[in-house]
């Protein structure tokens, strides 16, 4: 805790997250930032496509993943060292300045490839700092018993950003080209800043078993030891890693290849993706309304398992209508399982380690799991979509089965 942060008194009556102005400020800032992200990526893709070849466009879009993967764990260390609020504010301020600067530059010149690559690299660095910090914020702004509800609200914000961001990016590109789209993204990042600045932060409890801060490498090693020694965090990280590896490939690249093989067309694929989003949104809404799910560890494992079975079944649906129904089930069950997993991670982690623990889970979901794309594409070329979807479902299911086999995780509960 720093002297510049506004603190929440240590002893306050627990307020439902959806009625807590502090949480709602965080939610508004997070939603604005996520929509800004979507608009930015739309503008970047369009500018790259207009400025270079398809290969160069792919390079621009992929280059940001390098610093994100390399620096993600360091971002968690920084969040724990100086506080996640400061890191998130600095990240959104950096996004705002860089994107508005690019928009201003495009008023004077056409987008050069080197310029777009430089901006993509900066965003990769910012993401490596932003993602662990934003995941570590909820336990610092609300009571522990409200973390499951906050995970549901965050899921709704993410789905809202997905629904609003892409069309907004398309409209701004159509009206004013990449220049207007980059400017709109910068304004959205700016909107989040006053909301973040007004957040009240809970002080960390004093803990004798937390090692004093040393070098950054010492802090990182300390965080990894905390995960390894904790009876639940290690298994939870394993479930995250394995289930994401089986989930990401078929639900992104695999879906495109499946729609192509079945001649469902872009509209069919659009309906399937929309159904997945609606199912995930429904699970987020359920968690946001209920606030707590009994036997969360068991329910988390079972819902991930059901979602995995649905992934395997998706490749064998003969019609778009049936594929839409299965995609809804994937979104509903996998979305609920993912939200419960996130809530369990936040409730069992010592507050002083939240940034580092979040950086490890985020590394799996945002950096390592996407590496399955080329593997998925190559496997589909050799064996076809059906066997690859089944194999991916088996990988995802193995994560859930691992969780069910660990007594402590199977019986884990969220606080009341």
């Amino acid at each position: 805790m720093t002297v510049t942060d506004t603190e929440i008194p240590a002893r306050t009556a627990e307020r439902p997250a959806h009625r807590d102005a502090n949480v709602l400020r965080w939610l508004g800032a997070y939603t604005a930032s996520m929509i800004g992200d979507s608009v930015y990526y739309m503008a970047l893709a369009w500018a790259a496509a207009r400025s270079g070849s398809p290969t160069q466009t792919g390079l621009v879009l992929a280059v940001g993943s390098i610093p994100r993967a390399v620096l993600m764990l360091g971002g968690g260390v920084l969040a724990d060292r100086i506080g996640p609020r400061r890191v998130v504010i600095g990240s959104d301020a950096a996004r705002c300045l860089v994107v508005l600067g690019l928009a201003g530059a495009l008023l004077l010149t056409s987008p050069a490839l080197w310029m777009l690559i430089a901006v993509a690299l900066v965003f990769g660095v910012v993401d490596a700092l932003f993602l662990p910090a934003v995941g570590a914020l909820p336990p610092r702004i609300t009571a522990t018993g409200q973390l499951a509800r906050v995970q549901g609200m965050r899921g709704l914000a993410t789905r809202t950003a997905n629904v609003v961001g892409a069309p907004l990016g398309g409209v701004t590109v159509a009206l004013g080209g990449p220049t207007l789209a980059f400017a709109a993204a910068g304004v959205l990042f700016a909107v989040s800043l006053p909301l973040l600045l007004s957040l009240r932060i809970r002080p960390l409890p004093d803990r004798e078993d937390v090692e004093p801060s040393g070098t950054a490498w010492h802090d990182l090693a300390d965080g990894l030891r905390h995960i390894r020694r904790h009876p639940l965090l290690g298994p939870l990280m394993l479930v995250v890693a394995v289930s994401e590896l089986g989930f990401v490939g078929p639900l992104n690249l695999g879906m495109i290849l499946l729609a192509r093989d079945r001649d469902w067309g872009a509209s069919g694929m659009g309906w399937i993706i929309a159904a997945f989003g609606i199912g995930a949104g429904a699970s987020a809404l359920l968690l946001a309304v209920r606030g707590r799910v009994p036997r969360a560890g068991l329910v988390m494992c079972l819902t991930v398992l059901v979602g995995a079975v649905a992934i395997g079944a998706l490749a064998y649906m003969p019609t778009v209508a049936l594929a839409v129904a299965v995609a809804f089930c994937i979104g509903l069950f996998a979305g609920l399982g993912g939200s419960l997993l996130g809530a369990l991670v936040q409730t069992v982690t010592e507050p002083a380690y939240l940034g580092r623990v979040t950086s490890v889970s985020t590394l799996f979901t945002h950096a390592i799991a996407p590496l399955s794309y080329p593997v998925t594409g190559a496997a589909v070329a050799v064996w076809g979509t059906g066997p690859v979807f089944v194999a991916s479902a088996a990988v995802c299911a193995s994560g859930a089965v691992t969780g069910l086999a660990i007594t402590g995780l199977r019986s884990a509960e969220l606080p009341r």
Side-chain angles (χ1 to χ4, degrees):
M1 175 57 60
T2 64
V3 295
T4 57
D5 287 337
T6 303
E7 294 187 5
I8 297 176
R11 296 178 180 272
T12 56
E14 183 170 316
R15 182 181 302 170
H18 61 286
R19 297 178 183 174
D20 188 337
N22 201 45
V23 174
L24 294 178
R25 285 192 293 269
W26 168 82
L27 187 67
Y30 179 76
T31 304
S33 185
M34 290 296 100
I35 295 174
D37 256 357
S38 295
V39 175
Y40 157 76
Y41 282 111
M42 173 70 73
L44 185 69
W46 184 264
R50 295 292 297 271
S51 304
S53 66
T55 301
Q56 291 171 328
T57 301
L59 173 64
V60 171
L61 297 179
V63 73
S65 63
I66 299 172
R68 185 186 303 120
V70 172
L71 301 175
M72 185 73 73
L73 297 180
V77 172
L78 185 65
D80 285 338
R81 279 192 159 221
I82 70 173
R85 175 175 172 269
R86 280 185 166 185
V87 176
V88 172
I89 290 172
S91 299
D92 269 352
R95 296 172 195 237
C96 179
L97 292 174
V98 170
V99 174
L100 290 180
L102 179 59
L106 294 184
L107 290 174
L108 305 174
T109 182
S110 58
L113 193 64
W114 68 265
M115 187 187 303
L116 300 177
I117 289 176
V119 170
L121 283 171
V122 170
F123 255 75
V125 173
V126 171
D127 274 350
L129 304 179
F130 174 82
L131 292 171
V134 78
L137 261 179
R140 302 290 299 275
I141 62 174
T142 190
T144 304
Q146 295 298 315
L147 288 177
R149 179 171 276 127
V150 170
Q151 285 296 311
M153 295 166 67
R154 182 181 178 183
L156 286 173
T158 300
R159 297 303 159 190
T160 299
N162 292 339
V163 171
V164 174
L168 179 60
V171 169
T172 52
V173 167
L175 293 176
T179 302
L180 181 59
F182 282 125
V187 169
L188 285 164
F189 294 136
V191 166
S192 71
L193 292 175
L195 296 171
L196 292 169
L197 288 167
S198 64
L199 284 182
R200 295 188 301 158
I201 303 297
R202 289 179 178 272
L204 289 177
D206 293 329
R207 295 279 303 188
E208 295 181 358
D209 56 339
V210 175
E211 297 186 24
S213 180
T215 65
W217 284 109
H218 175 275
D219 285 357
L220 176 57
D222 186 32
L224 296 177
R225 281 194 299 270
H226 177 67
I227 294 173
R228 179 171 58 84
R229 295 171 179 172
H230 197 283
L232 287 181
L233 281 178
L236 283 169
M237 293 299 110
L238 182 61
V239 173
V240 170
V242 176
S243 60
E244 284 290 333
L245 281 174
F247 180 83
V248 169
L251 265 297
N252 289 280
L253 177 62
M255 187 68 69
I256 298 172
L257 300 177
L258 179 63
R260 180 201 64 185
D261 291 348
R262 298 298 177 84
D263 292 323
W264 288 341
S267 62
M269 185 180 69
W271 280 109
I272 295 170
I273 294 175
F276 169 80
I278 293 170
S283 68
L285 180 61
L286 173 66
L287 198 56
V289 171
R290 286 187 59 88
R292 183 180 181 274
V293 174
R295 306 194 69 180
L298 177 62
V299 173
M300 181 270 291
C301 294
L302 291 177
T303 51
V304 171
L305 184 60
V306 173
V309 172
I311 290 173
L314 182 62
Y316 295 93
M317 293 299 103
T319 65
V320 172
L322 288 175
V324 165
V326 173
F328 174 83
C329 292
I330 296 173
L332 181 66
F333 289 100
L336 181 58
S339 295
L340 289 174
L341 198 157
L344 284 169
V345 168
Q346 291 193 335
T347 54
V348 303
T349 302
E350 292 291 343
Y353 291 101
L354 271 168
R356 282 163 285 181
V357 171
T358 304
S359 72
V360 173
S361 63
T362 308
L363 181 68
F364 289 127
T365 57
H366 286 81
I368 295 179
L371 296 178
S372 64
Y373 292 163
V375 176
T376 300
V380 168
V382 176
W383 292 295
T385 52
V388 172
F389 268 67
V390 170
S392 296
V395 171
C396 187
S398 67
V401 171
T402 300
L404 290 171
I406 299 173
T407 303
L409 181 53
R410 188 174 65 246
S411 59
E413 293 278 8
L414 292 170
R416 294 184 181 275

